[in-house]
Amino acid sequence: MTRAWNFSAGPAVLPESVLEELSAVLLEFGDCRAGLMEISHRSKPFVAVMESARERLKQVLDAPADTTVLYLQGGASLQFLMTAMCFAGPEDTAVYLDTGSWSTAAIKEARRVCKVAVPFSGKVSQFTYLPLQDGEMGPIPDEAAFLHYTSNNTVRGSQFPAPPDTQLPLIGDLSSDICSRPVDVARHDVIYAGAQKNLGPSGVTAVMLSPRAMARIAEVAAQRPGGIPSMLDYSVHAAKDSMFNTPNTFGVFALERMLAWVAAEGGVTHFQAKSARMSAALYAAIDGSGGFYTAPVRPDSRSSMNVVWRIQDPALEPIFCKEAEAAGLLALKGHRSVGGLRASLYNALPEAAVSALVAFMAEFARSRG
Ligand SMILES: Cc1ncc(COP(=O)(O)O)c(C=O)c1O
């Protein structure tokens, strides 16, 4: 085995105990006499997996009992369209906070199906801060259908400390920080998250919907000529318990095991404390490097999941990544759209990985600084 510390932004590191459980079910699952990926999604054993995955997400996030949980496909990227399609009519305005590449992508999809207002865009400041201080947020229309925000900006390394304060129905993209800290599910009408960071492999998207959101879909469908296409309609998926079409059975199983692991490790408060320690150690290493390393994100907006930084001389960044990899520290290159360096500190990353990275950074700065 040559597994190294894996700082990938997603798909990302998974706990070894979960990986062992996954490999065990490939050949034979329970008493099915066939592997997990070889049985029908409508078989009793798989239906039980799906039910457990729904219940576990609610338990782990302490969600209201009447929350609808769906496991869909198409990634968080399809949610950009589905949320707008189902919760804003063609003449409605939806409000988006543009805090990074994924918010920008969500806005692009929403504009296809409704009107969009953007009271905050971080674009002009290279997305280095979130609208957390007085005067940073523009006026929010009272009559809007919903407010959409990206809880953690995976590419730029910023994170809302709490959901934005609004009276509007709230939709959150929690793809890169779900289950890393407590979240007030009841304050949201919709939460969605691609699984491939804190919840398992890619190919499954978790969606949580309030009763109010579920009731709103029929109203919006009536405003759309031809209604809402079945695959984009949450109520269609809900009526079939996420089995309107064949779900990603392996992905849902993996997600169910991940949620069991999160609970067994101590739940979201445990991971909140852990990622706070890990990110603090990393930001301290950056801020204490005498300018050799710099973190572009304003301190109040910094993410505890994706830490991004630069080296004073950017020509050293590829060398840093290459030497880090040789030292057993993988996937530290920043997103291809922004460059620089990034360490993703998802739930399954052991704290020892961050200690190793901090030591490597100190030695690199000493030898090149
Ligand atoms: C915050 C956020 N939203 C959306 C996406 C897009 O997810 P997907 O690739 O599952 O469509 C990502 C992917 O990294 C993300 O980090």
Side-chain angles (χ1 to χ4, degrees), residues 83-84 87-88 93-99 103 106-107 110 114-120 131 137-151 160 162-174 187-192 212 216:
T83 43
F87 301 114
T93 297
V95 178
Y96 282 75
L97 306 185
D98 186 13
T99 54
S103 309
I107 291 169
C114 66
K115 296 177 179 162
V116 169
V118 181
F120 174 81
M137 182 87 90
I140 297 179
D142 299 333
E143 291 300 303
F146 60 78
L147 185 146
H148 177 285
Y149 78 107
T150 310
S151 177
F160 280 92
D165 195 15
T166 178
Q167 299 303 315
L168 295 174
L170 188 60
I171 298 186
D173 174 358
L174 270 64
R187 267 211 58 209
H188 293 77
D189 273 49
V190 185
I191 287 173
Y192 63 86
R212 178 170 75 165
R216 170 93 177 118

Side-chain angles (χ1 to χ4, degrees), residues 75-77 80 102 150 152 154 173 175-176 196-197:
S77 298
F80 299 159
W102 298 114
T150 310
N152 181 72
T154 326
D173 174 358
S175 292
S176 51
Q196 64 269 22
K197 294 140 193 328

Side-chain angles (χ1 to χ4, degrees), residues 232-252:
L232 304 184
D233 185 337
Y234 296 105
S235 53
V236 170
H237 291 287
K240 302 283 182 187
D241 291 333
S242 302
M243 302 217 201
F244 170 68
N245 71 319
T246 315
N248 174 353
T249 52
F250 185 74
V252 173

Side-chain angles (χ1 to χ4, degrees), residues 110-241:
R111 285 208 165 110
R112 299 179 196 279
V113 294
C114 66
K115 296 177 179 162
V116 169
V118 181
F120 174 81
S121 174
K123 200 168 179 183
V124 283
S125 59
Q126 277 78 51
F127 297 107
T128 48
Y129 65 89
L130 300 175
L132 301 174
Q133 298 183 12
D134 285 350
E136 289 178 341
M137 182 87 90
I140 297 179
D142 299 333
E143 291 300 303
F146 60 78
L147 185 146
H148 177 285
Y149 78 107
T150 310
S151 177
N152 181 72
N153 296 281
T154 326
V155 174
R156 298 289 181 166
S158 63
Q159 184 178 29
F160 280 92
D165 195 15
T166 178
Q167 299 303 315
L168 295 174
L170 188 60
I171 298 186
D173 174 358
L174 270 64
S175 292
S176 51
D177 64 357
I178 194 164
C179 293
S180 71
R181 60 179 181 176
V183 57
D184 187 351
V185 177
R187 267 211 58 209
H188 293 77
D189 273 49
V190 185
I191 287 173
Y192 63 86
Q196 64 269 22
K197 294 140 193 328
N198 274 335
L199 292 180
S202 59
V204 192
T205 314
V207 188
M208 306 179 90
L209 301 115
S210 70
R212 178 170 75 165
M214 292 305 294
R216 170 93 177 118
I217 299 168
E219 285 169 37
V220 174
Q223 295 166 33
R224 295 203 171 281
I228 297 171
S230 306
M231 279 295 284
L232 304 184
D233 185 337
Y234 296 105
S235 53
V236 170
H237 291 287
K240 302 283 182 187
D241 291 333

